[in-house]
């Protein structure tokens, strides 16, 4: 039954990806799907985007407060009512194949634009959420099976590329509809009572597996600290502190000591902080444990209200979901490395390298991409080259699709030799993505690890920092600027930290590194 529930979520994701129009969803697969029970507990999720999935329960809770009925579809993106950041639009709908609500289908997708002060809805200098785009509390987009056209029209009137947005929203509705169809098939095959009993059983199974893993960790308190490189308003470092307490079969992560909420947009809703912690615990215990409400039940996340990781409205938050979540991941890994050094890699690139290029007007467009980099070296092997790490799990936009869809041309795309930290096991290589803009446009960059390198572990060397350049001129880690046609934007992403003493690296492996061009002579 566990496999069948997960197949429902996976098929939802396939429907969403194959039905969407925007390259960000159909090519990069920047979307996630999941199945919940009638009490709003996560039953199964597709293995999509970690930062989406761990935060979804907050969205379902917000919808449950609105008394959903069969045939309804709620849309939301408000980070203070179940969302993560405004571009991530969530759909929640009751699953009621025979008229009785058995659960909820949830889809979340990053829309390339939801309005706001800059194309792509990720302005680096935003100081309040109103500047970041249209803010939607849980709202019926479909009521009792009938589309609510006024809500759709209101939404589309506030975004760029409304035809693309409409198509992507309809793809999400289709994904949720598929969940109801497939759960109906399960009820027909097994009976409603057995399906509902299986919801409980898979959650109990996950909880038992996680608590068993936690009991294997040494008890005690383990602390770590790291920083963000500015908030988009100033370049001052923003500290994040975590204390992890392992006590028998429970684990608590307390972020006391983390900075107060900031003026810029790197504030992260509490759901995002929880999502990052859940991801790390899954990695350090057993990633094969089914991810559901039972898996997360033994984990307690504590964050001071009004802080960077639990801000009060109207805080700007668009960078918190993509960049701050990465640093929360790094800090939690660092703390748990004391408890389980053999299970924790060196730090990866620690950023999503968000690149947004777009324009408004009759020929408006919005290109959004997160760019891969180096994964950290591990206790058992080298880090992976040119991959997304931490809280994102997307693909890239193929060059052919990018150039066909947007007024952009790709000048260079490849690995960045020498960017991985040396060690017994080398850190993965960062990447280079160089794009020329063929029309006047707005460019936004939300990035990290441009000053502070991804740390090595167990004696390994740090990975290389990243760089952002516009026509060869270095620009800040977080910036939004107008550019003229012919401008080239180059993003060099960080490498991963190395693991272990470099003197212990096998000489034959070093020779292969040189032959493959992974290290600079």
């Amino acid at each position: 039954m566990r496999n069948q529930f997960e197949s429902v979520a996976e098929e939802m994701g396939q429907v969403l990806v194959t039905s969407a129009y925007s390259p960000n969803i159909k090519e990069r697969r920047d979307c996630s799907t999941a199945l919940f029970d009638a009490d709003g507990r996560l039953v199964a999720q597709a293995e999509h985007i970690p930062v989406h999935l761990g935060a979804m329960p907050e969205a379902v809770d917000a919808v449950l407060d609105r008394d959903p009925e069969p045939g309804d579809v709620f849309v939301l993106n408000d980070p203070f009512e179940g969302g993560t950041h405004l571009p991530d639009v969530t759909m929640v709908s009751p699953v009621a194949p025979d008229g009785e609500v058995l659960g909820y289908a949830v889809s979340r997708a990053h829309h390339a634009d939801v309005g706001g002060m800059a194309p792509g809805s990720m302005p680096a200098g935003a100081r309040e959420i109103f500047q970041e785009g249209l803010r939607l509390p849980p709202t019926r987009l479909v009521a009792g099976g009938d589309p609510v056209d006024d809500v759709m029209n209101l939404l589309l009137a506030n975004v760029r590329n409304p035809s693309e947005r409409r198509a992507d929203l309809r793809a999400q509705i289709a994904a949720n509809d598929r969940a109801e169809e497939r759960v109906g098939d399960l009820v027909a095959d097994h009976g409603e009572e057995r399906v509902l009993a299986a919801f409980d059983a898979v959650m109990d199974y996950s909880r038992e597996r996680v608590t068993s893993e936690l009991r294997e960790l040494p008890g005690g308190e383990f602390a770590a600290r790291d920083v963000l490189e500015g908030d988009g308003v100033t370049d001052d470092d923003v500290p994040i502190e975590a204390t992890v307490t392992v006590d028998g079969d429970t684990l608590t992560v307390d972020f006391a000591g983390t900075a107060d909420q900031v003026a810029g947009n790197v504030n992260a809703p509490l759901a995002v902080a929880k999502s990052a912690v859940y991801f790390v615990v899954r990695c350090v215990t057993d990633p094969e444990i089914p991810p559901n409400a039972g898996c997360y039940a033994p984990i307690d996340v504590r964050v001071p209200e009004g802080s960077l990781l639990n801000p009060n409205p109207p805080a700007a938050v668009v960078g918190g979901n993509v960049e701050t979540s990465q640093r929360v991941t790094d800090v939690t890994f660092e703390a748990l490395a004391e408890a389980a050094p053999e299970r924790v890699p060196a730090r990866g690139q620690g950023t999503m390298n968000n690149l947004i290029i777009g324009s408004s007007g009759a020929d408006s467009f919005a290109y959004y991409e997160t760019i891969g980099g180096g994964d950290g070296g591990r206790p058992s092997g080298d880090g992976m080259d040119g991959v997304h790490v931490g809280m994102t799990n997307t693909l890239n936009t193929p060059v052919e699709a990018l150039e066909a869809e947007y007024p952009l041309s790709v000048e260079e795309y490849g690995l960045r030799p020498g960017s991985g930290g040396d060690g017994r096991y080398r850190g993965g290589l960062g990447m280079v993505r160089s794009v020329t803009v063929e029309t006047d446009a707005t460019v936004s960059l939300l990035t990290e690890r441009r000053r502070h390198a991804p740390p090595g572990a167990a004696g390994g060397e740090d990975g290389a920092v990243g760089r952002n350049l516009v026509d060869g001129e270095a620009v800040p880690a977080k910036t939004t600027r107008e550019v003229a046609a012919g401008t080239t934007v180059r993003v060099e992403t960080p490498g991963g930290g190395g693991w272990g003493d470099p003197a212990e690296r096998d000489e034959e492996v070093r020779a292969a590194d040189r032959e493959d061009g992974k290290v600079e002579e």
Side-chain angles (χ1 to χ4, degrees):
M1 293 302 291
R2 166 212 169 171
N3 292 334
Q4 293 190 68
F5 296 151
E6 290 179 356
S7 75
V8 172
E10 293 285 352
E11 189 172 343
M12 288 174 66
Q14 288 298 317
V15 169
L16 176 50
V17 166
T18 55
S19 303
Y21 277 32
S22 67
N24 193 53
I25 300 173
K26 71 181 180 182
E27 298 285 0
R28 294 188 59 246
R29 304 191 179 192
D30 194 349
C31 58
S32 300
T33 49
L35 177 66
F36 287 70
D37 74 358
D39 294 323
R41 299 179 299 170
L42 176 63
V43 174
Q45 64 184 46
E47 295 291 358
H48 290 155
I49 313 299
V51 75
H52 287 176
L53 294 161
M56 276 186 178
E58 313 285 340
V60 179
D61 288 343
V63 168
L64 287 174
D65 291 339
R66 267 71 173 184
D67 299 321
E69 299 289 339
D72 290 349
V73 179
F74 280 80
V75 61
L76 66 98
N77 71 348
D78 188 346
F80 301 104
E81 284 202 76
T84 51
H85 65 174
L86 297 183
D88 283 345
V89 177
T90 304
M91 298 260 190
V92 180
S93 55
V95 173
D98 297 318
E100 178 184 353
V101 176
L102 304 182
Y104 293 89
V106 185
S107 60
R108 175 168 285 168
H110 184 116
H111 288 248
D113 184 274
V114 290
M117 65 189 285
S121 309
M122 299 183 71
R127 291 174 175 264
E128 56 183 8
I129 196 170
F130 309 114
Q131 297 174 306
E132 297 179 331
L134 177 66
R135 183 177 168 193
L136 290 164
T139 304
R140 282 182 175 85
L141 189 61
V142 178
D146 297 321
V148 183
D149 292 334
D150 288 347
V151 172
M152 178 67 84
N153 292 337
L154 175 65
L155 195 160
L156 297 179
N158 285 277
V159 302
R160 302 167 183 90
N161 290 349
S163 60
E164 186 178 88
R165 297 287 75 69
R166 182 193 297 273
D168 288 349
L169 292 167
R170 292 180 66 181
Q172 287 187 251
I173 294 172
N176 286 21
D177 288 346
R178 182 59 60 89
E180 183 169 83
E181 180 182 342
R182 289 294 176 255
V183 171
D185 292 342
L186 293 178
V187 169
D189 289 344
H190 304 288
E192 181 179 309
E193 184 176 342
R194 289 190 65 191
V195 169
L196 296 180
F199 283 175
D200 291 331
V202 296
M203 286 185 267
D204 290 342
Y205 172 73
S206 290
R207 184 174 57 253
E208 290 168 5
R209 289 277 304 276
V210 168
T211 55
S212 175
E213 290 279 337
L214 291 177
R215 282 193 289 268
E216 297 297 317
L217 296 176
E221 288 189 356
F222 312 95
R225 182 184 187 276
D226 207 330
V227 298
L228 293 169
E229 299 171 339
D231 65 354
V233 174
T234 76
D235 287 333
D236 297 340
D237 285 346
V238 182
I240 297 176
E241 297 186 10
T243 300
V244 177
T245 302
V246 181
D247 184 8
D249 58 6
T250 63
L251 183 144
T252 302
V253 183
D254 192 331
F255 288 97
T258 293
D260 293 338
Q261 69 185 73
V262 294
N265 69 10
V266 297
N267 301 291
L270 178 58
V272 170
K274 289 181 177 179
S275 193
V277 170
Y278 295 159
F279 167 76
V280 172
V281 174
R282 283 198 68 206
C283 291
V284 174
T285 53
D286 182 354
E288 297 301 317
I289 297 173
N292 56 44
C295 181
Y296 305 138
I299 306 165
D300 183 21
V301 180
R302 300 175 183 177
V303 184
E305 185 176 352
S307 71
L308 179 77
L309 305 181
N310 189 10
N312 294 315
V317 300
V318 73
N321 183 68
V322 290
E323 294 302 292
T324 307
S325 66
Q326 295 283 83
R327 198 61 65 251
V328 172
T329 302
D330 284 351
V331 170
T332 309
F333 265 131
E334 188 70 28
L336 281 169
E338 293 187 57
E342 75 287 353
R343 300 188 186 187
V344 177
R347 299 293 71 75
Q349 66 164 341
T351 176
M352 296 192 194
N353 301 296
N354 302 270
L355 173 61
I356 309 98
I357 305 174
S359 67
S360 300
D363 297 322
S364 64
F365 73 98
Y367 156 73
Y368 170 66
E369 181 134 39
T370 58
I371 305 172
D375 188 24
R378 297 164 289 154
S380 58
D382 291 346
M384 292 180 286
D385 302 319
V387 294
H388 288 92
V389 303
M391 297 308 290
T392 185
N393 187 35
T394 59
L395 304 179
N396 64 1
T397 305
V399 172
E400 298 85 352
L402 186 156
E403 294 185 339
E405 191 77 25
Y406 305 111
L408 306 171
S409 59
V410 178
E411 308 295 339
E412 183 179 353
Y413 184 43
L415 297 176
R416 186 182 171 201
S419 54
D422 199 2
R424 179 179 179 184
Y425 296 112
R426 179 185 54 78
L429 299 183
M431 303 186 74
V432 175
R433 182 82 140 172
S434 183
V435 179
T436 295
V437 187
E438 298 174 348
T439 185
D440 295 349
T442 303
V443 173
S444 295
L445 286 154
L446 293 177
T447 63
E448 278 285 322
R449 297 296 193 199
R450 267 52 183 175
R451 290 200 306 268
H452 302 291
E461 295 182 359
D462 296 347
V465 296
R467 291 202 308 165
N468 304 331
L469 302 103
V470 176
D471 280 342
E473 175 191 352
V475 299
K478 300 169 183 67
T479 188
T480 295
R481 58 181 59 199
E482 304 299 318
V483 301
T487 299
T488 298
V489 181
R490 180 183 176 90
V491 179
E492 299 177 359
T493 70
W499 193 96
D501 185 349
E504 297 177 359
R505 188 164 181 80
D506 185 273
E507 282 304 320
E508 291 186 7
V509 176
R510 281 201 182 280
D513 290 342
R514 292 190 292 271
E515 185 175 345
D516 293 340
K518 291 187 175 183
V519 296
E520 296 174 327
E521 296 293 347

